[in-house]
Amino acid sequence: MPTTLGYAEPVDAEFAQDPFPSKIGGKPRWLDPRHALSADRVVCDECGKPMVLLMQLSAPEDDPPSAFHRTLFVFICRTGSCHSSGASRCMRVFRSQLPEDNAVYTANTEGDDIEWEQAEGVEAAAECIVCGLHGSKTCSSCHGRRYCSRAHQVADWDAGHKAQCTTMPHAESADHTRRMRRMVFPEHVIVSEEEAEEQAESDSESDSEDIEPNSVVPVTNERVEDSETEVDAAFMEFQRRIQRDPDQVLRYARAPDAETEPMLLVSDTGAPTNVPACEACGTDRQFEFQIMPQMLNYLNLDSTDPHSIDWGTLLVFTCPVSCEPTDTFMPEVVCKQSFSSHGIGQKYLRAYYGDEDAFSRQFESLDV
């Protein structure tokens, strides 16, 4: 099965009507809108605040029938300093799925293609006005706004609800709206296409002399020397592959029957090991997709902050049989791999960040 690449694009009118979107940021678009994820399942173990949606991916399956509609949700903490710990403390992944015949969606077969529409009478769950998680709390004064947690109630109050609570509880000033949007990541559509086949070796070698400016690290005339003495093979392969499609934000390569897992690692050392088996069925989880460092460019992060959110790649492992859900949201596993100064080479890092010490701040060892 060829790898599918994902690219970020601006949202449009068609996206708004899509019942099964793949996207970066914004609030979650729940596969089953009758159920929203509870904030206590995505509380950061470092700061104690609710995580927000990083991305969601529509990944339907022909088998089993219970996964005919299937979406994966990735949540991360917005506090950059929390990401110096392991991914399991500040990141979460959940699988949600529905069979073809369900109470939420109906198929419209009038046109050439089947279009899925939300069935009449589906009552959406209460959602947090800030992040879209389950809104289990209400404003104690106006009772007109729902929240997932005390933290987000305070955030909304400080953003502008305090001034409008008793007079216009459902209204937001332009400044209030802007502040609320900053509490989640900017929203972009993820569009996909299959990765092109490799060119002949001679063409590939010729192309490698011209690496796109968006490559992970720039090329200098010391490229060959540095790669032979400092850079590990995994990083060179990572760089070589992504330079062909430098704007990719995601690589999807689910192949449950494959003997090898087609992960694109950023270092020879510290590959994810001991990924826990599915808690529901006991099957060993397998790699499904990875989030690329290019996605960071779409999150509106402060790149000058040494504690800003950062990763080399995020690797998502899921149950390969998409087992029958015992919950609307089935937990899966995400592992983080960071670029290492040993793997990339100090010359590259000095060229990229412009100083001697940047690599030790920005590129850490593998963190799972």
Side-chain angles (χ1 to χ4, degrees):
M1 176 180 175
T3 297
T4 299
L5 306 181
Y7 303 91
E9 291 190 356
V11 298
D12 54 19
E14 184 177 349
F15 164 76
Q17 303 301 318
D18 186 354
F20 314 117
S22 294
K23 71 188 188 82
I24 300 169
K27 299 175 183 178
R29 298 260 291 272
W30 306 115
L31 178 64
D32 186 344
R34 301 171 301 176
H35 303 279
L37 185 68
S38 174
D40 59 13
R41 301 187 68 182
V42 287
V43 171
C44 176
D45 293 334
E46 291 294 311
C47 67
K49 297 178 181 178
M51 303 178 197
V52 298
L53 182 73
L54 172 64
M55 59 153 290
Q56 67 181 75
L57 181 68
S58 178
E61 308 248 81
D62 294 328
D63 188 49
S66 62
F68 184 85
H69 301 294
R70 179 174 176 271
T71 298
L72 298 165
F73 299 91
V74 182
F75 293 86
I76 68 172
C77 182
R78 286 213 60 169
T79 304
S81 58
C82 295
H83 289 259
S84 61
S85 64
S88 62
R89 297 186 61 80
C90 58
M91 299 180 182
R92 301 283 190 278
V93 180
F94 293 93
R95 165 173 53 96
S96 186
Q97 61 194 55
L98 290 169
E100 182 176 11
D101 185 12
N102 62 78
V104 181
Y105 299 101
T106 58
N108 182 344
T109 58
E110 292 180 1
D112 295 333
D113 299 320
I114 297 177
E115 294 185 2
W116 293 93
E117 301 171 348
Q118 189 168 303
E120 294 183 6
V122 174
E123 186 175 346
E127 295 183 6
C128 175
I129 193 70
V130 175
C131 68
L133 293 171
H134 181 229
S136 58
K137 305 178 185 300
T138 60
C139 175
S140 57
S141 296
C142 68
H143 303 285
R145 291 168 84 84
R146 304 295 293 253
Y147 305 103
C148 68
S149 60
R150 171 70 176 166
H152 282 181
Q153 184 175 2
V154 172
D156 183 41
W157 187 261
D158 292 343
H161 183 56
K162 177 180 179 180
Q164 300 164 296
C165 180
T166 56
T167 56
M168 296 182 295
H170 298 287
E172 290 182 7
S173 67
D175 181 61
H176 187 186
T177 300
R178 280 194 296 271
R179 293 187 180 193
M180 292 286 284
R181 287 177 178 169
R182 294 193 194 107
M183 295 180 196
V184 295
F185 295 119
E187 194 169 49
H188 296 82
V189 184
I190 297 177
V191 298
S192 61
E193 64 179 44
E194 287 188 2
E195 185 177 34
E197 293 184 3
E198 296 248 27
Q199 294 179 336
E201 186 175 350
S202 58
D203 293 338
S204 179
E205 289 175 354
S206 172
D207 291 345
S208 67
E209 297 175 3
D210 245 347
I211 293 184
E212 295 284 345
N214 288 340
S215 296
V216 174
V217 292
V219 177
T220 70
N221 354 0
E222 299 175 310
R223 177 172 179 268
V224 175
E225 175 193 346
D226 202 13
S227 66
E228 290 178 350
T229 59
E230 296 187 47
V231 184
D232 65 35
F235 175 75
M236 292 303 292
E237 173 62 12
F238 182 87
Q239 174 76 332
R240 185 185 69 81
R241 290 289 292 276
I242 67 171
Q243 75 183 21
R244 293 160 47 197
D245 299 282
D247 295 326
Q248 59 185 280
V249 297
L250 182 141
R251 296 178 65 86
Y252 186 88
R254 182 169 171 83
D257 299 327
E259 294 182 2
T260 59
E261 298 179 332
M263 294 180 289
L264 194 56
L265 300 177
V266 300
S267 175
D268 281 332
T269 59
T273 57
N274 301 320
V275 174
C278 176
E279 293 82 1
C281 70
T283 306
D284 288 341
R285 285 189 173 94
Q286 293 183 11
F287 171 72
E288 182 161 354
F289 71 94
Q290 66 188 103
I291 299 170
M292 306 299 283
Q294 288 87 335
M295 188 177 288
L296 293 163
N297 297 328
Y298 297 92
L299 303 185
N300 197 25
L301 302 174
D302 181 1
S303 60
T304 64
D305 180 2
H307 301 295
S308 182
I309 297 170
D310 195 18
W311 63 72
T313 187
L314 301 180
L315 304 156
V316 175
F317 295 81
T318 60
C319 176
V321 298
S322 291
C323 64
E324 192 72 27
T326 56
D327 188 331
T328 304
F329 301 99
M330 299 292 287
E332 300 292 4
V333 172
V334 57
C335 301
K336 181 178 76 172
Q337 190 178 31
S338 299
F339 296 111
S340 67
S341 58
H342 171 73
I344 294 180
Q346 296 183 11
K347 294 176 187 175
Y348 277 156
L349 291 165
R350 288 195 294 270
Y352 191 51
Y353 285 105
D355 68 87
E356 293 283 336
D357 300 321
F359 71 87
S360 60
R361 294 198 308 268
Q362 296 289 342
F363 289 81
E364 301 170 346
S365 60
L366 175 68
D367 203 353
V368 176

